[in-house]
């Protein structure tokens, strides 16, 4: 069983026979189908079906010489058109199967961001059509554990100052990437100053009263992250097979917008706009063309 099936409402799915019935239904009654030719002898298909307006399951496989679909693997997903980032990405195939990871350097984080690419067939179509320069990435996350915590108290002046600081830091990151020494030195001094400030305050304060937002790799898998961010929007959807309720949270994390799905059984606290979400996520991404 896929660990993140419970994130989309299959918390009690333990029977492999029942899972096979669901996957068969996805293939036979898919709402979206994507195809791509990997090489001369390999044609890959992705059959997807929504189990709520935003959540669903994708079944991936290959076609044999007789045109029959051969199941390979499946994954749950949260679909979104929220514009998270607009950076150039590279795509790398996973070693164990025909699935792909998206890799990009995100200036807001200052780190290499790795996510599971949901729509790799669409990505290759855009690449062939030369449309990637007009594309953006929607980031989503599936979570099996999380909690809601209160926000930091900020006045409008502090919020405005944070936005200015974030933009200046992003510009410095871009200059540092080009090799401009003054930008590299400024970033180094900023990081040292921030580290010293936190070391002093952490002795008397809780870490979540000092840190407003985080995005940190966690575990051994490269596309898993621990996040902390402000909740901008909350909605609930229902799994059509199980009737389980799923929270879908729009979260601002280090000035990046991410949508996260979590089963209402797995979240501590009551999600609300303005509060913060803290949890571990499996990061996914989809590439869309700007309309």
């Amino acid at each position: 069983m896929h660990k993140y099936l419970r994130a989309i409402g299959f918390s009690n799915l333990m029977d492999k026979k029942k899972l096979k019935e669901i996957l068969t239904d996805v293939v036979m009654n898919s709402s979206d189908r994507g195809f791509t030719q990997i090489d001369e002898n390999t044609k890959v298909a992705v059959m997807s079906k929504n189990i709520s307006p935003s959540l669903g399951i994708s079944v991936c496989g290959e076609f044999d010489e007789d045109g029959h679909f051969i199941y390979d693997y499946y994954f749950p997903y949260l679909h979104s058109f929220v514009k998270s980032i607009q950076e150039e990405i590279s795509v790398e195939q996973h070693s164990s199967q025909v699935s792909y990871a998206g890799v990009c350097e995100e200036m807001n984080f200052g780190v290499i961001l790795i996510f599971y690419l949901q729509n790799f067939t669409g990505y290759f179509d855009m690449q062939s059509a030369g449309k990637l320069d007009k594309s953006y990435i929607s980031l989503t996350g599936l979570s099996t554990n999380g909690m809601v915590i209160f926000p930091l108290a900020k006045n409008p002046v502090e919020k405005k100052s944070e936005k200015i600081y974030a933009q200046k830091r992003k510009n410095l990151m871009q200059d540092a990437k080009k090799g401009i020494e003054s930008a590299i030195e400024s970033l180094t001094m900023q990081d040292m100053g921030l580290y010293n400030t936190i070391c002093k305050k952490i002795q008397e304060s809780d870490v979540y009263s000092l840190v407003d937002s985080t995005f940190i790799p966690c575990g051994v898998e490269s596309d898993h992250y621990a996040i902390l961010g402000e909740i901008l929007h909350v909605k609930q959807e229902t799994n059509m097979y199980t009737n389980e309720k799923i929270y879908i949270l729009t979260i601002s994390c280090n000035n990046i917008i991410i949508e996260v799905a979590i089963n209402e059984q797995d979240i501590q606290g009551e999600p609300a706009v303005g509060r913060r979400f803290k949890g571990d996520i499996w990061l996914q991404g989809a590439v869309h063309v700007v309309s």
Side-chain angles (χ1 to χ4, degrees), residues 155-207:
N155 58 47
V157 175
E158 290 174 325
K159 291 181 179 180
K160 185 177 180 179
S161 297
E162 280 190 357
K163 289 183 178 180
I164 294 173
Y165 173 81
Q167 185 58 51
K168 287 182 177 178
R169 183 172 176 83
K170 185 174 182 178
N171 294 337
L172 284 173
M173 292 291 296
Q174 291 172 339
D175 290 341
K177 188 178 178 181
K178 297 174 184 176
I180 299 176
E181 291 187 8
S182 59
I184 298 173
E185 291 175 359
S186 295
L187 286 170
T188 302
M189 294 302 294
Q190 282 183 6
D191 290 342
M192 290 175 61
L194 182 61
Y195 175 78
N196 291 331
T197 300
I198 291 177
C199 285
K200 292 177 181 178
K201 291 185 176 182
I202 197 66
Q203 300 177 29
E204 300 176 354
S205 304
D206 180 82
V207 64

Side-chain angles (χ1 to χ4, degrees), residues 84-214:
S84 300
I85 54 178
Q86 194 164 4
E87 303 283 352
E88 182 179 348
I89 71 168
S90 60
V91 171
E92 299 289 338
Q93 183 176 341
H94 294 125
S95 58
S96 60
Q97 59 194 21
V98 185
S99 60
Y100 295 83
V103 183
C104 72
E105 185 173 2
E106 217 315 297
M107 293 304 168
N108 286 289
F109 298 142
V111 297
I112 301 297
L113 194 64
I114 301 174
F115 56 88
Y116 189 93
L117 185 60
Q118 294 175 346
N119 64 334
F120 65 85
T121 57
Y123 172 84
F124 290 129
D125 288 343
M126 294 177 213
Q127 187 179 56
S128 299
K131 295 181 179 180
L132 288 180
D133 59 333
K134 299 179 181 179
S135 65
Y136 67 92
I137 303 164
S138 294
L139 295 177
T140 58
L142 299 182
S143 178
T144 57
N145 66 86
M147 67 171 63
V148 178
I149 61 179
F150 286 117
L152 296 180
K154 298 178 187 176
N155 58 47
V157 175
E158 290 174 325
K159 291 181 179 180
K160 185 177 180 179
S161 297
E162 280 190 357
K163 289 183 178 180
I164 294 173
Y165 173 81
Q167 185 58 51
K168 287 182 177 178
R169 183 172 176 83
K170 185 174 182 178
N171 294 337
L172 284 173
M173 292 291 296
Q174 291 172 339
D175 290 341
K177 188 178 178 181
K178 297 174 184 176
I180 299 176
E181 291 187 8
S182 59
I184 298 173
E185 291 175 359
S186 295
L187 286 170
T188 302
M189 294 302 294
Q190 282 183 6
D191 290 342
M192 290 175 61
L194 182 61
Y195 175 78
N196 291 331
T197 300
I198 291 177
C199 285
K200 292 177 181 178
K201 291 185 176 182
I202 197 66
Q203 300 177 29
E204 300 176 354
S205 304
D206 180 82
V207 64
Y208 298 118
S209 66
L210 300 175
V211 179
D212 188 28
S213 180
T214 60

Side-chain angles (χ1 to χ4, degrees), residues 74 78 130 219 272:
Y74 71 95
L78 167 60

Side-chain angles (χ1 to χ4, degrees), residues 22-47:
I22 293 172
L23 296 182
T24 300
D25 182 45
V26 170
V27 173
M28 300 302 295
N29 301 295
S30 53
S31 54
D32 183 63
R33 298 187 175 191
F35 305 90
T36 189
Q37 195 79 30
I38 301 299
D39 54 46
E40 186 177 346
N41 301 314
T42 307
K43 185 177 183 180
V44 176
V46 181
M47 314 290 191

Side-chain angles (χ1 to χ4, degrees), residues 67-85:
H68 297 134
F69 179 72
I70 302 173
Y71 161 82
D72 186 14
Y73 67 94
Y74 71 95
F75 65 90
Y77 64 81
L78 167 60
H79 195 56
S80 171
F81 284 96
V82 171
K83 184 177 179 180
S84 300
I85 54 178

